[in-house]
Amino acid sequence: MWALASMLLAGPVRAAIPNAMLRGMPSLPKIPVPERSFTSPNGTVLPPITTIYYFDQLIDHNNPDLGTFQQRYWMNWEFYEPGGPIILTTPGEGPGNGSEALITNDTINGLIAQQQNGAVISIEHRFFGYSNPYDNLTSQSLALLTIQQAIDDLEYFANTADLPMPGGDAVKPGQAPWILTGGSYAGALTSWTMVNKPGLFWAAHASSGVVEAITDYYEYFTPVREYMPQNCSSDVEAVIAHLDELYAANDTAGIQTLKEAFGLGDVVHVDDFAAAIQNNLFDWQDLQPDVGPGAMFFQFCDALEVKNGVSAGPEGWGLEHAIYSWGNFWNTTYYKYMCGSVDAETCFGTYNTSQPVWTDVTVNNANRSWFWMVCNQVGWYQVGPPEGQPAIVSRILQPIYTERQCVNMFPQAFAYPPQPTTTQTDTMYAGWNINVPRLFFANGLRDPWRESTVSADGLNKPNNPSMPIYQGDGFHCSDMDTKNGIVDPTVAAVQKAGLRYMKEWLAEWTPST
């Protein structure tokens, strides 16, 4: 789930964390925060959507005596009328500020609110942004960052919060219908919550929900290879096969020559080099239906495949030209894009455990918090495929590559590389076996996270009116962004289906208190 955009790395230099996998976090695409003002149906001017509200959340739901912390949330009730639903979402593994579009009709959440006269809340996930039980991100503090604690947060908020809108103290579940929504990891959290807290939320909508935790997640690159230009994938496969052959033969001189072609001769370890060039594939996750040919991924493929104004055929130009052109792209464009003026080993090396990336425990560090969840519960290690399958990512990269970095970042918690408890996670929260009523799944055919969703190849999960599963031609969480439905009719069809089911399900709701 390195889902949603490659955006969480601080500043213009992408490699603030050398682990390339964190570029593919299952995060939400960044949707610009609208600058317009908002009014309620009766014409009352509402607070700016950037207004931060605070909720006294339990530090530990298993030990309420520990007290509470200030959990941040944002709310918009421009469409709300008494009797309408409360729509609860979370930006997931990122800060809540900057994601305020989630509570507007620029997203599916706001479209549901607009259709159903509802209000939308975005609540910051514990240990992300400034919603932290403690003032640090040490292993000891992060012990309270678990899927279950996050689910319990949603339950406690729904049952306890007095909302800032008029009448907001009388819309608890049972008094008003609550809808849980989310995309990517937050989409998985939506599904997992519906399993774990049956009856709390009347209905739910999960966009690109990565419901199945997977340790060896080589399938991340399957949709990328399937839908990227075939000449580009052919040449990438040729270079990766060459690298893996050099590695198998222990040809250190050949590996050094290849590294130098990319301007990465100073990267000491071959696995770090393999991970560095993996970054070009993670740019696929930045794509959406409205993204044009200037996107970095397409710049990369054009650099490989257009020679003297002529594009290669499906077989590509072959290994020699692929090494030259891919390397040239790194030397002229991509290295600066990734590293700025930082040297290659500092930018991509993962063996120097004294680097601040491993030791900085200050709050509002989404990469560190997310890495904790990865190392412990969800995995999703984006690695090379098994032998016999086409490879656009080196087989040098295996789960141990990232598991070793778990020790780098959390030496107090891990004495040796840990294996995440993905089987336990999938057992507890159903994973692909999810079967609950009034849960709508929206997925994208070109989403690199597709294979951990209920639309995974070969899963053949039935689409039925109780738990509908719709898939458009979109990318990661494409249906969440209203404008994607304008440019892609298949995404529009998914959005319309979600809205139709929400309308039907809400018509069936009756108060219980």
Side-chain angles (χ1 to χ4, degrees), residues 76-94:
N76 178 16
W77 57 95
E78 64 173 316
F79 303 117
Y80 181 74
E81 295 181 11
I86 306 299
I87 299 148
L88 182 63
T89 193
T90 173
E93 72 284 31

PDB file of all heavy atoms in Angstrom, residues 76-94:
ATOM      1  N   ASN A  76     -17.040  19.730   7.700  1.00  0.00           N
ATOM      2  CA  ASN A  76     -17.777  20.599   6.785  1.00  0.00           C
ATOM      3  C   ASN A  76     -19.244  20.167   6.778  1.00  0.00           C
ATOM      4  O   ASN A  76     -19.551  19.009   6.508  1.00  0.00           O
ATOM      5  CB  ASN A  76     -17.181  20.494   5.380  1.00  0.00           C
ATOM      6  CG  ASN A  76     -17.932  21.349   4.364  1.00  0.00           C
ATOM      7  OD1 ASN A  76     -18.694  22.243   4.726  1.00  0.00           O
ATOM      8  ND2 ASN A  76     -17.717  21.080   3.087  1.00  0.00           N
ATOM      9  N   TRP A  77     -20.115  21.115   7.080  1.00  0.00           N
ATOM     10  CA  TRP A  77     -21.550  20.793   7.090  1.00  0.00           C
ATOM     11  C   TRP A  77     -22.334  21.706   6.140  1.00  0.00           C
ATOM     12  O   TRP A  77     -23.472  22.071   6.374  1.00  0.00           O
ATOM     13  CB  TRP A  77     -22.117  20.834   8.515  1.00  0.00           C
ATOM     14  CG  TRP A  77     -21.973  22.118   9.296  1.00  0.00           C
ATOM     15  CD1 TRP A  77     -22.896  23.126   9.404  1.00  0.00           C
ATOM     16  CD2 TRP A  77     -20.861  22.523  10.116  1.00  0.00           C
ATOM     17  NE1 TRP A  77     -22.437  24.116  10.233  1.00  0.00           N
ATOM     18  CE2 TRP A  77     -21.191  23.779  10.698  1.00  0.00           C
ATOM     19  CE3 TRP A  77     -19.625  21.950  10.429  1.00  0.00           C
ATOM     20  CZ2 TRP A  77     -20.323  24.465  11.553  1.00  0.00           C
ATOM     21  CZ3 TRP A  77     -18.763  22.631  11.275  1.00  0.00           C
ATOM     22  CH2 TRP A  77     -19.109  23.867  11.822  1.00  0.00           C
ATOM     23  N   GLU A  78     -21.714  22.028   5.002  1.00  0.00           N
ATOM     24  CA  GLU A  78     -22.384  22.932   4.053  1.00  0.00           C
ATOM     25  C   GLU A  78     -23.659  22.326   3.469  1.00  0.00           C
ATOM     26  O   GLU A  78     -24.558  23.063   3.061  1.00  0.00           O
ATOM     27  CB  GLU A  78     -21.428  23.328   2.927  1.00  0.00           C
ATOM     28  CG  GLU A  78     -20.975  22.178   2.045  1.00  0.00           C
ATOM     29  CD  GLU A  78     -20.173  22.646   0.844  1.00  0.00           C
ATOM     30  OE1 GLU A  78     -20.577  23.635   0.210  1.00  0.00           O
ATOM     31  OE2 GLU A  78     -19.135  22.013   0.542  1.00  0.00           O
ATOM     32  N   PHE A  79     -23.737  21.011   3.404  1.00  0.00           N
ATOM     33  CA  PHE A  79     -24.924  20.366   2.820  1.00  0.00           C
ATOM     34  C   PHE A  79     -25.846  19.773   3.887  1.00  0.00           C
ATOM     35  O   PHE A  79     -26.880  19.205   3.561  1.00  0.00           O
ATOM     36  CB  PHE A  79     -24.493  19.243   1.866  1.00  0.00           C
ATOM     37  CG  PHE A  79     -23.590  19.700   0.760  1.00  0.00           C
ATOM     38  CD1 PHE A  79     -22.288  19.211   0.668  1.00  0.00           C
ATOM     39  CD2 PHE A  79     -24.022  20.619  -0.190  1.00  0.00           C
ATOM     40  CE1 PHE A  79     -21.438  19.616  -0.350  1.00  0.00           C
ATOM     41  CE2 PHE A  79     -23.178  21.037  -1.206  1.00  0.00           C
ATOM     42  CZ  PHE A  79     -21.884  20.547  -1.285  1.00  0.00           C
ATOM     43  N   TYR A  80     -25.468  19.921   5.146  1.00  0.00           N
ATOM     44  CA  TYR A  80     -26.174  19.175   6.190  1.00  0.00           C
ATOM     45  C   TYR A  80     -27.562  19.735   6.480  1.00  0.00           C
ATOM     46  O   TYR A  80     -27.763  20.944   6.625  1.00  0.00           O
ATOM     47  CB  TYR A  80     -25.372  19.181   7.492  1.00  0.00           C
ATOM     48  CG  TYR A  80     -26.056  18.389   8.587  1.00  0.00           C
ATOM     49  CD1 TYR A  80     -26.064  17.005   8.566  1.00  0.00           C
ATOM     50  CD2 TYR A  80     -26.739  19.039   9.616  1.00  0.00           C
ATOM     51  CE1 TYR A  80     -26.718  16.273   9.543  1.00  0.00           C
ATOM     52  CE2 TYR A  80     -27.399  18.321  10.599  1.00  0.00           C
ATOM     53  CZ  TYR A  80     -27.377  16.926  10.549  1.00  0.00           C
ATOM     54  OH  TYR A  80     -28.028  16.215  11.519  1.00  0.00           O
ATOM     55  N   GLU A  81     -28.494  18.809   6.584  1.00  0.00           N
ATOM     56  CA  GLU A  81     -29.834  19.106   7.077  1.00  0.00           C
ATOM     57  C   GLU A  81     -30.189  18.047   8.104  1.00  0.00           C
ATOM     58  O   GLU A  81     -29.760  16.890   7.976  1.00  0.00           O
ATOM     59  CB  GLU A  81     -30.849  19.126   5.927  1.00  0.00           C
ATOM     60  CG  GLU A  81     -30.594  20.256   4.933  1.00  0.00           C
ATOM     61  CD  GLU A  81     -31.620  20.299   3.812  1.00  0.00           C
ATOM     62  OE1 GLU A  81     -32.640  19.583   3.929  1.00  0.00           O
ATOM     63  OE2 GLU A  81     -31.406  21.045   2.841  1.00  0.00           O
ATOM     64  N   PRO A  82     -30.924  18.409   9.151  1.00  0.00           N
ATOM     65  CA  PRO A  82     -31.259  17.434  10.199  1.00  0.00           C
ATOM     66  C   PRO A  82     -31.813  16.141   9.608  1.00  0.00           C
ATOM     67  O   PRO A  82     -32.657  16.159   8.708  1.00  0.00           O
ATOM     68  CB  PRO A  82     -32.307  18.175  11.035  1.00  0.00           C
ATOM     69  CG  PRO A  82     -31.943  19.625  10.865  1.00  0.00           C
ATOM     70  CD  PRO A  82     -31.471  19.748   9.443  1.00  0.00           C
ATOM     71  N   GLY A  83     -31.297  15.033  10.123  1.00  0.00           N
ATOM     72  CA  GLY A  83     -31.668  13.722   9.611  1.00  0.00           C
ATOM     73  C   GLY A  83     -30.682  13.168   8.612  1.00  0.00           C
ATOM     74  O   GLY A  83     -30.746  11.981   8.269  1.00  0.00           O
ATOM     75  N   GLY A  84     -29.763  14.025   8.135  1.00  0.00           N
ATOM     76  CA  GLY A  84     -28.768  13.573   7.164  1.00  0.00           C
ATOM     77  C   GLY A  84     -27.669  12.757   7.825  1.00  0.00           C
ATOM     78  O   GLY A  84     -27.507  12.766   9.052  1.00  0.00           O
ATOM     79  N   PRO A  85     -26.879  12.057   7.032  1.00  0.00           N
ATOM     80  CA  PRO A  85     -25.833  11.193   7.587  1.00  0.00           C
ATOM     81  C   PRO A  85     -24.595  11.976   8.011  1.00  0.00           C
ATOM     82  O   PRO A  85     -24.349  13.086   7.546  1.00  0.00           O
ATOM     83  CB  PRO A  85     -25.502  10.265   6.423  1.00  0.00           C
ATOM     84  CG  PRO A  85     -25.752  11.117   5.213  1.00  0.00           C
ATOM     85  CD  PRO A  85     -26.950  11.958   5.559  1.00  0.00           C
ATOM     86  N   ILE A  86     -23.831  11.348   8.892  1.00  0.00           N
ATOM     87  CA  ILE A  86     -22.499  11.833   9.251  1.00  0.00           C
ATOM     88  C   ILE A  86     -21.502  10.925   8.528  1.00  0.00           C
ATOM     89  O   ILE A  86     -21.488   9.713   8.746  1.00  0.00           O
ATOM     90  CB  ILE A  86     -22.269  11.780  10.775  1.00  0.00           C
ATOM     91  CG1 ILE A  86     -23.384  12.524  11.512  1.00  0.00           C
ATOM     92  CG2 ILE A  86     -20.890  12.334  11.106  1.00  0.00           C
ATOM     93  CD1 ILE A  86     -23.506  13.996  11.178  1.00  0.00           C
ATOM     94  N   ILE A  87     -20.697  11.517   7.692  1.00  0.00           N
ATOM     95  CA  ILE A  87     -19.725  10.768   6.900  1.00  0.00           C
ATOM     96  C   ILE A  87     -18.349  10.966   7.536  1.00  0.00           C
ATOM     97  O   ILE A  87     -17.861  12.098   7.627  1.00  0.00           O
ATOM     98  CB  ILE A  87     -19.731  11.254   5.438  1.00  0.00           C
ATOM     99  CG1 ILE A  87     -21.121  11.036   4.837  1.00  0.00           C
ATOM    100  CG2 ILE A  87     -18.664  10.541   4.614  1.00  0.00           C
ATOM    101  CD1 ILE A  87     -21.515  12.054   3.814  1.00  0.00           C
ATOM    102  N   LEU A  88     -17.756   9.881   7.993  1.00  0.00           N
ATOM    103  CA  LEU A  88     -16.464   9.935   8.679  1.00  0.00           C
ATOM    104  C   LEU A  88     -15.385   9.317   7.799  1.00  0.00           C
ATOM    105  O   LEU A  88     -15.544   8.209   7.294  1.00  0.00           O
ATOM    106  CB  LEU A  88     -16.542   9.175  10.006  1.00  0.00           C
ATOM    107  CG  LEU A  88     -15.274   9.164  10.870  1.00  0.00           C
ATOM    108  CD1 LEU A  88     -14.904  10.577  11.329  1.00  0.00           C
ATOM    109  CD2 LEU A  88     -15.449   8.250  12.076  1.00  0.00           C
ATOM    110  N   THR A  89     -14.296  10.061   7.619  1.00  0.00           N
ATOM    111  CA  THR A  89     -13.179   9.566   6.836  1.00  0.00           C
ATOM    112  C   THR A  89     -11.886   9.916   7.552  1.00  0.00           C
ATOM    113  O   THR A  89     -11.878  10.612   8.560  1.00  0.00           O
ATOM    114  CB  THR A  89     -13.201  10.161   5.409  1.00  0.00           C
ATOM    115  OG1 THR A  89     -12.290   9.437   4.572  1.00  0.00           O
ATOM    116  CG2 THR A  89     -12.816  11.631   5.402  1.00  0.00           C
ATOM    117  N   THR A  90     -10.782   9.408   7.030  1.00  0.00           N
ATOM    118  CA  THR A  90      -9.464   9.733   7.572  1.00  0.00           C
ATOM    119  C   THR A  90      -8.483   9.795   6.417  1.00  0.00           C
ATOM    120  O   THR A  90      -8.601   9.016   5.454  1.00  0.00           O
ATOM    121  CB  THR A  90      -8.987   8.704   8.608  1.00  0.00           C
ATOM    122  OG1 THR A  90      -7.624   9.002   8.978  1.00  0.00           O
ATOM    123  CG2 THR A  90      -9.052   7.284   8.072  1.00  0.00           C
ATOM    124  N   PRO A  91      -7.511  10.704   6.466  1.00  0.00           N
ATOM    125  CA  PRO A  91      -6.471  10.708   5.431  1.00  0.00           C
ATOM    126  C   PRO A  91      -5.528   9.524   5.545  1.00  0.00           C
ATOM    127  O   PRO A  91      -4.649   9.349   4.716  1.00  0.00           O
ATOM    128  CB  PRO A  91      -5.748  12.036   5.666  1.00  0.00           C
ATOM    129  CG  PRO A  91      -6.008  12.371   7.093  1.00  0.00           C
ATOM    130  CD  PRO A  91      -7.368  11.834   7.405  1.00  0.00           C
ATOM    131  N   GLY A  92      -5.689   8.708   6.584  1.00  0.00           N
ATOM    132  CA  GLY A  92      -4.846   7.523   6.724  1.00  0.00           C
ATOM    133  C   GLY A  92      -3.443   7.878   7.169  1.00  0.00           C
ATOM    134  O   GLY A  92      -3.250   8.613   8.135  1.00  0.00           O
ATOM    135  N   GLU A  93      -2.443   7.361   6.427  1.00  0.00           N
ATOM    136  CA  GLU A  93      -1.068   7.470   6.878  1.00  0.00           C
ATOM    137  C   GLU A  93      -0.413   8.779   6.432  1.00  0.00           C
ATOM    138  O   GLU A  93       0.630   8.817   5.782  1.00  0.00           O
ATOM    139  CB  GLU A  93      -0.258   6.251   6.423  1.00  0.00           C
ATOM    140  CG  GLU A  93       0.067   6.153   4.960  1.00  0.00           C
ATOM    141  CD  GLU A  93      -1.093   5.732   4.089  1.00  0.00           C
ATOM    142  OE1 GLU A  93      -2.250   6.038   4.404  1.00  0.00           O
ATOM    143  OE2 GLU A  93      -0.827   5.108   3.065  1.00  0.00           O
ATOM    144  N   GLY A  94      -1.067   9.877   6.795  1.00  0.00           N
ATOM    145  CA  GLY A  94      -0.535  11.202   6.513  1.00  0.00           C
ATOM    146  C   GLY A  94      -1.220  12.224   7.383  1.00  0.00           C
ATOM    147  O   GLY A  94      -2.246  11.932   8.016  1.00  0.00           O
TER     148      GLY A  94
END
